[in-house]
Amino acid sequence: MSDDLIEIEIDGKSVQAKKGQMIIEATDTTSSYVPRFCYHSKLSIAANCRMCLVEVEKAPKPLPACATPVAAGMKIFTRSPYAIAAQKATMEFLLINHPLDCPICDQGGECELQDIAMGYGRGISRYNDNKRVVKDKNIGPLVSTDMTRCIHCTRCVRFGEEITGVQDLGTVMRGENMRIDTYVEKSIDHELSSNIIDLCPVGALNNKPYRYSARSWEMIQHETIAAHDCVGSNIYAHALRGTVKRVVPRENEAINETWISDRDRFSYEGIYSDERLMSPMIKKDDQWQEISWKDALIEIVEKLKVVENNSAAVLASPNSTLEEFYLLSRLSDELSISNIDHRLRMVDFTDQLNDPKIPLLGINIAEIENCKQIVVVGSDIRKEAPIIGHRIRKAALSGAQIGIINENINEYFFDVAVYLSESIIGNLLGLLSALNGEPPEEMRDIFKQIKPTKEQQKLAAILNSEDKKHFILGHLAINHPYASAIRLLSAKIAELTGAVLGFITEGSNAAGGHLMGVLPHRGFAGSSREIIGHSISEISENNLDLLLLFNAEPGKDIPNLSAEKLTDSLVIALTPYATENYKTTADIMLPIGTFAETSGTYINCEERWQSFSGIANPVGESRPGWKVLRAIGSLLGMSEFEFESSESVLDEISQRLKDTPMSNEINNFSLQNKINKKDLLDTHLVQSVPMYEVDSVLRHSASLQLTPEASRSDST
Amino acid sequence: MKSIPENLVCFNTFEADKPWTYETYRKHGGYDAWDRILKGELSPEQVIEEVKASGLRGRGGAGFPTGLKWSFMPRLQPIQKYLVCNSDESEPGTCHDREVLRKNPHALIEGMAIAAYAMGATIAYNYIRGEFMEEPIPRFELAVKEAYEHKLLGKNIQSSNIDLELHTFVGAGAYICGEETALLESLEGKQGKPRFKPPFPANFGLYGKPTTINNTQSLASVPSIIRNGAKWFKDIGVENSGGTAQFSVSGHIERPGNYELPMGTSFKELLELCGGVLGGAKLKAVIPGGSSVPVMPAETILGCTMDYDSLQKAGSSFGTGAVIVMDETTCMVKVLRRIARFYMAESCGQCTPCREGTGWLYRMLTRIIEGQGELEDLTKLVEIANKIEGHTICALGDAAAWPVQSFLKHFHHEFEYMVNNKGRSIVSIDDEVTV
């Protein structure tokens, strides 16, 4: 037995437990279940519900298993008459003021109180006085409240204090008047806030959009992957007869632990938006008409067959599945189109030949919290990837020093050691200078004028250590007009300080887009192209004859591609939604499924492949994107394109990758664009995309659009 | 009957004209002990041994040996340690700490200084209940100022290498803040909600640092112990209960008030000293140590001496020394309801049995008084009290349960009578007794 293990006895069975462990952690490794409400493995111990009282030999009273550390030789009885009596006593107290409204409570059927009451409650209450009633409060569009049901376990309060760092909820009053409250009427707005819905053991805090729309036992639980950032949080979607009713987290310690962002939880509402495109449409004499799938596909294939490859482009959402990317890539190869991309908001492509084959985080998501220094450049990390923001907060709480280099001042709920605002490039140059680094040749002149500020020197001093450190470039750095300069300077600083350089990419599958060759300069698996295709900016300037848009909305997903620039082009849009932008710019619209209506695979920012199956019935006549692409390919007469399922596409991808090994070493970045000295150090060169605007599904999620976060986005 | 010596320890300045001043305290031998420590004549170990030998037990209610408590502090660890004095006196019936603060604040300051020195604490707080704002707090603060002026507190006091900063903290008037860990939370600026133990404050106290919390009277007794020796103090009292006790006598009594008497004084002597039961009426019951300890019928308490062992043997507890006297006109059901209402109002609401149970007890008792009670309610009352006792984070749950258990044990017939007679009391008085 190793030093930190001790022998204890649980219900007569000898068990090994770790020193300092609480009894409940030890019993959870055995078949002895101790009932609990306030205890949660991710939160601090409160010991306030008193449900987990157990008998411990020689103890004068029953002890709470959640707050009593094990000791060598301890004899614990979780089911002795003494322990059961204590647990039943607590149950009776919890129930006297709890309303008997289970039949109309959304928590019914999945309620911890209901479940445990079955085992420990009485059939008939001995309480015949008036029950407590607590006024509900409005805490925003995402979480409903029925505070009369509250059993005061304070999980939600501790979640705010410990996980998000925003103490929105607390307890006010005392004794039986104690209640969970925001004190001042307000909504709870943190990007992870809605996790309190899952934490609440009763029906006090519930899912507002889902309210009264299904019972938990009627639904089927499907494993799937969240589709709005590069984290790939594991989720369950609960579907009632093929309609997604809600989304809850699926525990995965390596990625999202037990949390998901509000964005991942409520985006499903977008599936059922009124703006969904219900059938294929074609524009005839400026009028949209319904058309059959068959006719639409024939129409498209006719156009594709005759278009000149140099005058056609394919633009796909970074949220497309790996399979969709692959089929798009093969279609474009078949038609010799190299004007293909998924990096829809990028501006600076000058150094793209030196791009890493797959832009990744550089370390695993779970490793972030072990870093001692983390520098986040050009990123509103909390909004771009909430789970990564949470991991960084955990690192900060355990003592890591966090540096932020960003034009905008964003709010963080942990100590930021150094916050360098204003020009990102100016700050990186200052930091490089403070580290006594050499500037790139092209920036020598500007560098000479740079004197590191005190703050820059402070960050340099922090980075001057042997510890494990991480340098993260976010969306604003990637979409910056001088992105290549930022990347080059960051790489130099990372090299000087021994930090790992990583990227937070847009969408859920940018890694997949890169790997499948949905890029103008590279093909499948990083192979180089003979002809380098147009960049997005060139595509939008050049009035191409034909554009195939795959869930990429002009003006929204592709900010630089406005309607005016598309008047002369034939635009084929494969899209779940028929928005105004599509209606004015497109000529043919084909309805494709959202993330919930298709099967597929996402590669997350740590190169983790996660496949999922379709969980929702298709809305209207929409079809999974890969099936539509497969049909187009078949009609074009492509060989070996008869895929039966997304799995068969995935099999082919895996096989081909096995045949063509690829290294993902990061090249030496360079500076190809002419540095315009005038605006290099300017700020406001790039706009951040509001959190609930980043993709088409989110833009149609009704409840998310009601949040203060969404109204903030409108004003900017 | 022999005459009983009064005011030997904490109240020993009381007969003076202005008992609270520095000069008066000095005249009574005050700060002699502290002077000796500042001169280096006493080591911390000696102080702790002396207090242990004196038999001083915590006067806050639990009666834990003070010297032993001090020895739990990791004295030699080079980290910040704190001493906290609990002047949040709020047990119903208790009002003697207030007297110490008003009339002998320097004894408390010297006691705190000695305790802090013994445990290596360099910062001490006196947590005083907010209701003392009018007189006790200004008196105490004035005394602290005097002590600083006479270089008895501060940094490197009289070049002794001893540091002690003493601060007053005013609570907002919550019974629960008298619980030591709730007091620490309150002192840290949080809601006064008890912490679960372990860890105990000696390891993880104020701001997570080792902390000892002592009651006002315990600390104010320390200077006399050091000045006169442990034996002197121990001999005042009886076996297992050294020194004096302050009794706050209230209720149906001729001369209610605070009396400092030797431990082990018999109840009969105490009653006599206070002039007997009001109007010469017959004694019915006594709560000997503040509202939370079990009530004792007259025949039991009349055979008791007022010390820890005797009262415990008789089925109650010494508690805070607040003696609540009730004569035969008292309705025990109404008294219990009044007590139950107090615990319902003062429960912090943190843990389930106390939050839900105290209100349930109160409502059942109210129902009985309103004539809506049933005989099975009486068993239910005891059952609920049993389910609260020992199941909560702090002792407030026990404090709410003990009166219910003991009232129903000793005066079951009164409850039964009231249930059977639709709310009519066994005594003919309708007015509720003020406790």
Side-chain angles (χ1 to χ4, degrees):
Chain A
M1 202 185 292
S2 77
D3 278 355
D4 57 344
L5 283 181
I6 51 173
E7 192 90 23
I8 58 167
E9 199 185 292
I10 297 171
D11 294 336
K13 275 178 243 146
S14 172
V15 174
Q16 286 192 355
K18 281 197 205 103
K19 257 186 203 164
Q21 210 175 24
M22 296 300 160
I23 291 176
I24 206 164
E25 294 173 280
T27 56
D28 277 355
T29 63
T30 71
S31 59
S32 299
Y33 176 79
V34 179
R36 81 287 305 265
F37 295 110
C38 69
Y39 173 78
H40 190 277
S41 57
K42 292 281 172 195
L43 302 174
S44 68
I45 293 163
N48 63 26
C49 76
R50 315 308 281 180
M51 194 61 215
C52 67
L53 294 173
V54 294
E55 180 181 359
V56 175
E57 195 187 49
K58 289 188 193 127
K61 34 185 196 180
L63 297 177
C66 69
T68 310
V70 293
M74 194 181 239
K75 284 189 178 152
I76 299 152
F77 304 94
T78 66
R79 310 204 53 81
S80 66
Y82 185 71
I84 296 278
Q87 294 159 1
K88 284 189 166 176
T90 301
M91 194 70 229
E92 183 171 18
F93 285 130
L94 283 171
L95 290 178
I96 62 169
N97 275 312
H98 190 82
L100 264 178
D101 63 349
C102 305
I104 56 145
C105 173
D106 270 335
Q107 195 85 357
E110 51 179 9
C111 172
E112 292 175 50
L113 187 69
Q114 202 178 35
D115 292 349
I116 296 177
M118 288 300 289
Y120 299 87
R122 289 166 167 266
I124 296 166
S125 174
R126 295 198 295 173
Y127 182 76
N128 34 23
D129 295 290
N130 290 338
K131 284 191 175 224
R132 176 173 56 223
V133 174
V134 184
K135 197 168 167 262
D136 295 336
K137 39 200 77 49
N138 185 0
I139 55 170
L142 305 180
V143 182
S144 67
T145 64
D146 291 274
M147 299 319 282
T148 304
R149 296 176 187 150
C150 177
I151 58 166
H152 311 90
C153 70
T154 68
R155 279 187 192 173
C156 55
V157 176
R158 284 174 283 148
F159 175 81
E161 285 169 5
E162 295 157 22
I163 306 299
T164 64
V166 193
Q167 296 184 24
D168 279 333
L169 292 170
T171 58
V172 297
M173 311 298 280
R174 68 184 185 206
E176 46 179 22
N177 299 318
M178 181 173 105
R179 56 173 200 266
I180 304 294
D181 209 319
T182 48
Y183 202 66
V184 176
E185 184 101 1
K186 73 184 279 292
S187 57
I188 48 165
D189 299 330
H190 191 275
E191 62 277 7
L192 296 172
S193 287
S194 298
N195 285 296
I196 57 176
I197 296 168
D198 310 319
L199 285 175
C200 184
V202 294
L205 301 174
N206 250 322
N207 189 320
K208 209 173 209 174
Y210 160 77
R211 205 160 205 216
Y212 305 142
S213 64
R215 307 288 345 215
S216 57
W217 57 86
E218 302 172 314
M219 295 186 287
I220 296 172
Q221 172 163 290
H222 302 274
E223 292 184 4
T224 184
I225 304 298
H228 308 288
D229 56 38
C230 61
V231 170
S233 289
N234 288 195
I235 53 175
Y236 285 120
H238 292 166
L240 177 67
R241 293 184 286 277
T243 304
V244 178
K245 287 292 177 186
R246 64 175 177 187
V247 164
V248 296
R250 175 156 57 98
E251 189 169 349
N252 187 336
E253 277 304 307
I255 303 174
N256 50 310
E257 304 171 77
T258 56
W259 319 122
I260 52 170
S261 62
D262 292 4
R263 187 162 71 177
D264 293 340
R265 186 185 299 267
F266 295 107
S267 66
Y268 75 89
E269 279 192 292
I271 306 168
Y272 306 105
S273 155
D274 290 344
E275 258 194 319
R276 279 298 294 265
L277 175 61
M278 302 304 274
S279 66
M281 306 274 276
I282 189 160
K283 203 189 257 171
K284 290 254 167 78
D285 306 325
D286 266 349
Q287 291 293 311
W288 281 102
Q289 294 174 0
E290 279 189 25
I291 180 175
S292 74
W293 265 107
K294 194 177 159 198
D295 293 345
L297 289 171
I298 290 171
E299 187 89 15
I300 289 167
V301 168
E302 290 310 316
K303 307 281 186 207
L304 286 174
K305 273 183 182 160
V306 297
V307 76
E308 203 180 311
N309 58 16
N310 199 26
S311 199
V314 174
L315 297 175
S317 156
N319 287 17
S320 312
T321 65
L322 191 68
E323 293 78 356
E324 289 162 346
F325 276 138
Y326 179 66
L327 298 182
L328 281 167
S329 172
R330 273 197 63 188
L331 266 177
S332 309
D333 286 352
E334 173 78 15
L335 299 167
S336 305
I337 296 171
S338 54
N339 305 326
I340 172 171
D341 215 334
H342 71 280
R343 304 164 302 169
L344 308 180
R345 293 193 179 100
M346 253 178 89
V347 185
D348 177 6
F349 298 94
T350 49
D351 194 30
Q352 62 182 4
L353 289 177
N354 289 321
D355 277 352
K357 299 276 162 51
I358 313 177
L360 296 171
L361 196 56
I363 60 175
N364 287 334
I365 291 171
E367 280 176 325
I368 294 175
E369 57 198 76
N370 302 331
C371 290
K372 292 283 173 243
Q373 287 94 29
I374 300 170
V375 181
V376 182
V377 182
S379 172
D380 184 358
I381 192 79
R382 276 179 48 211
K383 308 285 166 70
E384 290 175 8
I387 294 294
I388 297 198
H390 169 60
R391 294 278 189 176
I392 293 176
R393 179 167 189 274
K394 277 174 94 179
L397 292 188
S398 57
Q401 291 162 298
I402 314 294
I404 310 272
I405 304 179
N406 201 13
E407 287 181 8
N408 311 325
I409 306 275
N410 306 119
E411 199 175 2
Y412 290 97
F413 301 106
F414 51 80
D415 285 339
V416 175
V418 180
Y419 202 123
L420 303 178
S421 56
E422 297 179 7
S423 161
I424 296 175
I425 294 178
N427 276 313
L428 287 172
L429 284 168
L431 183 59
L432 187 66
S433 164
L435 288 161
N436 299 320
E438 278 295 306
E441 192 56 45
E442 300 83 346
M443 300 179 103
R444 207 157 284 259
D445 287 348
I446 307 174
F447 190 72
K448 269 185 207 151
Q449 303 159 18
I450 297 279
K451 273 245 161 64
T453 63
K454 268 207 179 118
E455 287 291 284
Q456 289 159 356
Q457 281 169 338
K458 189 175 162 195
L459 185 55
I462 286 170
L463 292 174
N464 221 335
S465 77
E466 296 295 310
D467 300 321
K468 184 171 176 179
K469 44 180 103 66
H470 197 197
F471 212 91
I472 304 172
L473 298 189
H475 296 179
L476 294 178
I478 293 171
N479 297 335
H480 197 275
Y482 296 111
S484 55
I486 292 176
R487 191 170 73 175
L488 175 60
L489 290 169
S490 300
K492 277 194 181 297
I493 293 165
E495 197 188 337
L496 269 175
T497 57
V500 177
L501 186 65
F503 302 90
I504 302 284
T505 46
E506 287 197 294
S508 55
N509 199 20
H514 278 81
L515 186 61
M516 295 300 102
V518 182
L519 292 168
H521 60 291
R522 283 192 194 132
F524 183 82
S527 58
S528 47
R529 285 192 194 276
E530 280 173 34
I531 302 161
I532 296 196
H534 292 322
S535 69
I536 296 265
S537 21
E538 286 161 345
I539 290 169
S540 62
E541 293 307 323
N542 284 2
N543 285 326
L544 301 187
D545 292 344
L546 184 146
L547 250 81
L548 184 93
L549 302 178
F550 191 86
N551 194 10
E553 184 176 338
K556 292 276 189 183
D557 294 313
I558 322 169
N560 295 328
L561 194 65
S562 56
E564 303 87 66
K565 288 173 182 163
L566 292 170
T567 39
D568 297 336
S569 315
L570 179 85
V571 176
I572 302 163
L574 280 66
T575 166
Y577 301 97
T579 63
E580 272 315 306
N581 281 330
Y582 282 120
K583 282 184 190 161
T584 46
T585 54
D587 298 281
I588 302 176
M589 292 192 289
L590 298 181
I592 57 168
T594 59
F595 72 96
E597 298 150 76
T598 182
S599 55
T601 306
Y602 292 142
I603 304 178
N604 81 349
C605 59
E606 44 177 11
E607 212 183 352
R608 187 187 296 265
W609 292 43
Q610 301 191 107
S611 294
F612 51 91
S613 42
I615 50 185
N617 293 342
V619 172
E621 285 182 39
S622 67
R623 295 287 173 269
W626 70 268
K627 275 193 184 168
V628 179
L629 295 172
R630 203 269 326 250
I632 294 172
S634 301
L635 286 174
L636 279 171
M638 287 173 68
S639 61
E640 290 177 44
F641 214 71
E642 299 294 326
F643 298 105
E644 294 277 305
S645 64
S646 71
E647 285 82 10
S648 55
V649 183
L650 187 63
D651 288 345
E652 184 172 307
I653 296 169
S654 308
Q655 192 52 50
R656 278 189 65 190
L657 282 175
K658 226 180 262 171
D659 299 342
T660 48
M662 175 198 81
S663 85
N664 191 31
E665 269 174 32
I666 292 187
N667 302 326
N668 288 324
F669 300 129
S670 73
L671 214 49
Q672 304 290 331
N673 62 344
K674 291 266 188 303
I675 295 294
N676 176 350
K677 287 166 197 167
K678 249 196 240 151
D679 70 350
L680 184 68
L681 301 181
D682 278 1
T683 53
H684 308 299
L685 295 174
V686 55
Q687 276 279 325
S688 67
V689 184
M691 188 176 184
Y692 299 141
E693 293 280 310
V694 290
D695 63 50
S696 57
V697 178
L698 287 170
R699 289 193 294 269
H700 291 89
S701 302
S703 299
L704 288 176
Q705 295 307 325
L706 292 174
T707 58
E709 177 65 32
S711 21
R712 264 199 290 278
S713 355
D714 288 340
S715 60
T716 50
Chain B
M1 192 181 279
K2 66 178 176 14
S3 82
I4 308 161
E6 286 189 61
N7 301 353
L8 288 175
V9 180
C10 299
F11 290 1
N12 70 344
T13 59
F14 279 22
E15 84 288 358
D17 183 23
K18 283 188 175 171
W20 55 84
T21 60
Y22 174 75
E23 287 72 26
T24 313
Y25 186 61
R26 270 290 187 197
K27 271 186 211 137
H28 287 78
Y31 289 118
D32 287 359
W34 187 230
D35 285 342
R36 281 175 61 202
I37 288 171
L38 291 177
K39 279 183 204 136
E41 291 172 20
L42 274 170
S43 70
E45 290 83 357
Q46 282 172 305
V47 173
I48 293 178
E49 283 314 309
E50 200 70 13
V51 174
K52 270 188 189 168
S54 74
L56 174 64
R57 291 170 65 167
R59 299 290 196 247
F64 194 82
T66 305
L68 189 62
K69 193 174 191 176
W70 290 7
S71 64
F72 293 152
M73 282 285 273
R75 199 166 47 76
L76 300 173
Q77 268 181 39
I79 45 172
Q80 179 65 53
K81 291 171 280 288
Y82 295 100
L83 172 77
V84 177
C85 173
N86 183 349
S87 296
D88 190 56
E89 179 178 54
S90 31
E91 181 74 18
T94 319
C95 51
H96 46 63
D97 293 351
R98 178 167 166 274
E99 292 302 287
V100 175
L101 293 169
R102 280 173 70 215
K103 294 191 185 161
N104 199 4
H106 282 286
L108 178 57
I109 293 169
E110 188 182 6
M112 287 175 76
I114 295 169
Y117 165 74
M119 289 177 279
T122 54
I123 299 176
Y125 293 95
N126 189 12
Y127 186 104
I128 309 179
R129 70 180 297 193
E131 290 89 333
F132 286 175
M133 191 56 101
E134 200 143 320
E135 195 181 25
I137 292 170
R139 284 270 173 83
F140 181 77
E141 298 227 285
L142 186 72
V144 172
K145 199 168 150 244
E146 283 180 321
Y148 270 104
E149 279 165 10
H150 289 92
K151 308 232 167 348
L152 295 164
L153 296 172
K155 285 243 148 28
N156 191 12
I157 307 162
Q158 301 178 18
S159 313
S160 61
N161 271 330
I162 299 169
D163 299 335
L164 181 64
E165 300 293 346
L166 201 158
H167 308 278
T168 310
F169 184 93
V170 181
Y175 175 66
I176 193 61
C177 291
E179 199 281 342
E180 58 178 17
T181 54
L183 184 149
L184 292 180
E185 290 281 300
S186 170
L187 193 50
E188 288 180 8
K190 304 176 192 160
Q191 287 174 320
K193 291 190 173 167
R195 303 174 181 171
F196 60 87
K197 288 145 279 200
F200 290 94
N203 295 316
F204 190 93
L206 186 62
Y207 306 115
K209 298 292 189 295
T211 304
T212 290
I213 301 109
N214 284 127
N215 163 265
T216 310
Q217 195 194 335
S218 314
L219 287 168
S221 300
V222 170
S224 311
I225 294 171
I226 305 297
R227 193 162 63 231
N228 301 315
K231 190 174 175 316
W232 171 83
F233 187 81
K234 194 178 165 74
D235 290 348
I236 297 174
V238 291
E239 185 65 25
N240 270 335
S241 306
T244 58
Q246 297 163 10
F247 296 102
S248 300
V249 187
S250 63
H252 295 131
I253 192 88
E254 277 294 337
R255 284 196 298 275
N258 289 300
Y259 297 85
E260 184 174 38
L261 301 174
M263 277 283 186
T265 305
S266 76
F267 178 74
K268 275 185 185 149
E269 289 169 315
L270 176 64
L271 194 60
E272 200 172 300
L273 202 67
C274 303
V277 180
L278 188 65
K282 193 168 168 242
L283 182 69
K284 183 190 237 177
V286 172
I287 301 175
S291 68
S292 60
V293 308
V295 67
M296 295 169 84
E299 54 278 18
T300 320
I301 186 106
L302 284 168
C304 284
T305 53
M306 300 301 282
D307 58 78
Y308 293 103
D309 287 1
S310 162
L311 290 172
Q312 196 165 7
K313 247 181 249 157
S316 187
S317 168
F318 186 82
T320 60
V323 180
I324 302 167
V325 179
M326 291 171 273
D327 71 11
E328 58 186 349
T329 62
T330 315
C331 173
M332 298 312 270
V333 187
K334 290 181 181 173
V335 174
L336 183 60
R337 182 183 58 159
R338 184 62 191 81
I339 292 176
R341 179 167 165 244
F342 176 78
Y343 290 106
M344 174 182 74
E346 295 298 336
S347 165
C348 81
Q350 182 179 204
C351 68
T352 309
C354 176
R355 178 184 65 239
E356 309 291 349
T358 50
W360 193 358
L361 292 173
Y362 171 71
R363 272 187 283 277
M364 278 174 72
L365 286 162
T366 304
R367 216 155 13 87
I368 291 169
I369 288 171
E370 286 170 352
Q372 310 287 321
E374 285 165 31
L375 278 179
E376 63 180 33
D377 285 343
L378 305 186
T379 356
K380 219 195 277 180
L381 276 169
V382 179
E383 273 182 34
I384 295 164
N386 291 346
K387 285 179 177 186
I388 302 174
E389 183 193 8
H391 289 189
T392 51
I393 291 177
C394 77
L396 194 143
D398 303 340
W402 290 334
V404 175
Q405 293 163 343
S406 61
F407 272 70
L408 275 142
K409 184 175 161 199
H410 297 301
F411 301 97
H412 198 274
H413 60 284
E414 291 200 17
F415 290 83
E416 226 175 281
Y417 181 90
M418 190 175 272
V419 169
N420 289 333
N421 293 282
K422 302 270 175 257
R424 198 169 58 162
S425 175
I426 205 164
V427 297
S428 49
I429 301 171
D430 285 333
D431 301 331
E432 195 173 314
V433 177
T434 316
V435 180

